[in-house]
Amino acid sequence: MGGVVDKAAGAVLKLLVFQWDIALFVLNFVTPDRKEGEVVPKGAPGHHGAWPEYVPPTDGDSRSACPMLNAMANHGVLPHDGKNITFVDLNHSIRKTFNFAPSFCFFVPKFAADFLKRSYWKDTFNLEELSLHNAIEHDASLTRQDSALVPDQSKPDLKLVHDLFAEATGKMPDGSPRLTIPDLSRALSKRRVDARLSNKDYSETRFHNMFGSSNSSTMLTLFAGSVEDLTPMLTEERFSENWEPRVRSRFGLTITKFNLAHVLPVERGVNTKKIEEEREAAALAQAEATSGAAGEASK
């Protein structure tokens, strides 16, 4: 009976959070954006782009599969050791650092508390615990090899990161490379194809695919797809100098806008079949070219 009551209460809470989020989504349309340079609030780390000193993790520090949470710990926005963090503090820190809407900042830590079977209101966690496989962490990540191949999810795979940046076809106003929605769709398509081939324990569900597109879409929203700003974040897990979130909405990035404007378009653009067909065609062309060269050499 208790389990049924808990599920019902959880469903009601989610409904309330999404109603709250939709209200914030509407309010963002009728209120002025935050001024450039003032997105991170006064008194918070990163105000005016002044981030605390970057200190890489040392032995014994706890880190997750999420580059942005790791960057917060590396700069001391979260405890540098990444341990004994309350879910409530995570909520508040994410809100100030990245300008996610308060509904978003409640929903994700609450989700983490639930899959770790802890109280959102009273308990703590270590960053590495968020890498529980197939909770938030999932196969075919754009910055990590699958956990079945590399159990330690605390560090980025630099080849994967550079492969991602190589997909960039857009341009920032200053002419530097920029990732676009089609770029991320193509990058995810390639990763899913590669992961299926390399990981015999590969798993994929609609839920995890949406999480993959969601994680990727933060690059388009908070970083505007800027490869220049994403490079230190995804390779060293640090904030670039003078960085602030590109989302300047008064009430922050809502779940509603995030999904409608970015996550769903990215996921809809994923086409693993096209990647497989392209690779088969390339392999066939290479085989024909090799056969032709061998024939010429034998004359």
Side-chain angles (χ1 to χ4, degrees):
M1 187 68 170
V4 174
V5 172
D6 288 344
K7 284 184 179 179
V12 170
L13 181 60
K14 286 180 182 177
L15 178 61
L16 292 174
V17 169
F18 286 122
Q19 289 178 334
W20 177 25
D21 189 79
I22 291 170
L24 296 175
F25 172 73
V26 173
L27 284 171
N28 276 334
F29 279 103
V30 297
T31 53
D33 285 348
R34 299 184 185 198
K35 294 180 180 179
E36 190 171 346
E38 301 289 336
V39 178
V40 177
K42 186 176 181 180
H47 181 63
H48 284 172
W51 295 99
E53 181 184 3
Y54 167 78
V55 180
T58 58
D59 290 345
D61 288 339
S62 183
R63 293 294 184 268
S64 72
C66 175
M68 295 194 304
L69 294 182
N70 292 349
M72 291 173 72
N74 291 339
H75 285 272
V77 180
L78 293 174
H80 187 269
D81 66 1
K83 298 177 180 179
N84 299 313
I85 303 166
T86 70
F87 295 98
V88 174
D89 283 346
L90 180 65
N91 174 336
H92 297 159
S93 295
I94 291 174
R95 172 87 174 109
K96 294 174 184 176
T97 301
F98 295 111
N99 196 28
F100 281 110
S103 49
F104 210 145
C105 293
F106 171 78
F107 181 80
V108 176
K110 178 65 168 64
F111 178 79
D114 289 346
F115 76 68
L116 291 176
K117 295 181 170 35
R118 293 185 194 161
S119 166
Y120 167 84
W121 304 104
K122 298 184 293 184
D123 291 338
T124 65
F125 67 97
N126 298 341
L127 285 177
E128 64 195 48
E129 294 179 283
L130 300 181
S131 297
L132 180 68
H133 185 53
N134 277 347
I136 292 176
E137 185 277 331
H138 54 85
D139 287 335
S141 162
L142 293 178
T143 67
R144 264 76 172 163
Q145 290 289 348
D146 294 352
S147 61
L149 306 178
V150 181
D152 181 2
Q153 292 287 295
S154 66
K155 297 182 179 70
D157 183 296
L158 297 184
K159 183 182 182 305
L160 289 180
V161 174
H162 290 305
D163 287 347
L164 168 63
F165 292 155
E167 295 293 332
T169 62
K171 297 290 183 184
M172 297 296 291
D174 63 2
S176 62
R178 173 178 174 265
L179 288 164
T180 66
I181 286 175
D183 296 338
L184 282 175
S185 296
R186 186 167 177 83
L188 285 166
S189 300
K190 290 181 176 179
R191 269 297 289 141
R192 290 176 192 175
V193 170
D194 290 338
R196 290 170 190 167
L197 293 173
S198 63
N199 178 10
K200 66 180 180 60
D201 297 319
Y202 179 76
S203 62
E204 180 180 321
T205 65
R206 178 69 174 169
F207 173 78
H208 293 122
N209 284 347
M210 290 300 295
F211 241 113
S213 290
S214 178
N215 293 338
S216 304
S217 293
T218 58
M219 304 180 204
L220 302 175
T221 51
L222 304 180
F223 295 85
S226 170
V227 171
E228 183 177 348
D229 286 342
L230 284 166
T231 296
M233 175 58 65
L234 299 186
T235 60
E236 301 174 75
E237 300 185 333
R238 69 174 175 84
F239 296 108
S240 59
E241 188 175 357
N242 299 319
W243 182 83
E244 72 170 5
R246 301 297 180 106
V247 173
R248 295 195 289 118
S249 302
R250 176 66 53 181
F251 293 95
L253 179 61
T254 61
I255 301 169
T256 304
K257 182 173 182 179
F258 186 57
N259 280 281
L260 292 178
H262 294 93
V263 178
L264 290 174
V266 167
E267 184 58 30
R268 278 199 301 265
V270 172
N271 189 339
T272 55
K273 184 177 180 180
K274 181 179 179 181
I275 298 301
E276 290 168 342
E277 290 173 348
E278 288 176 356
R279 291 181 176 179
E280 288 173 4
L284 179 60
Q286 180 62 42
E288 290 175 348
T290 301
S291 176
E296 288 295 321
S298 66
K299 290 181 180 178

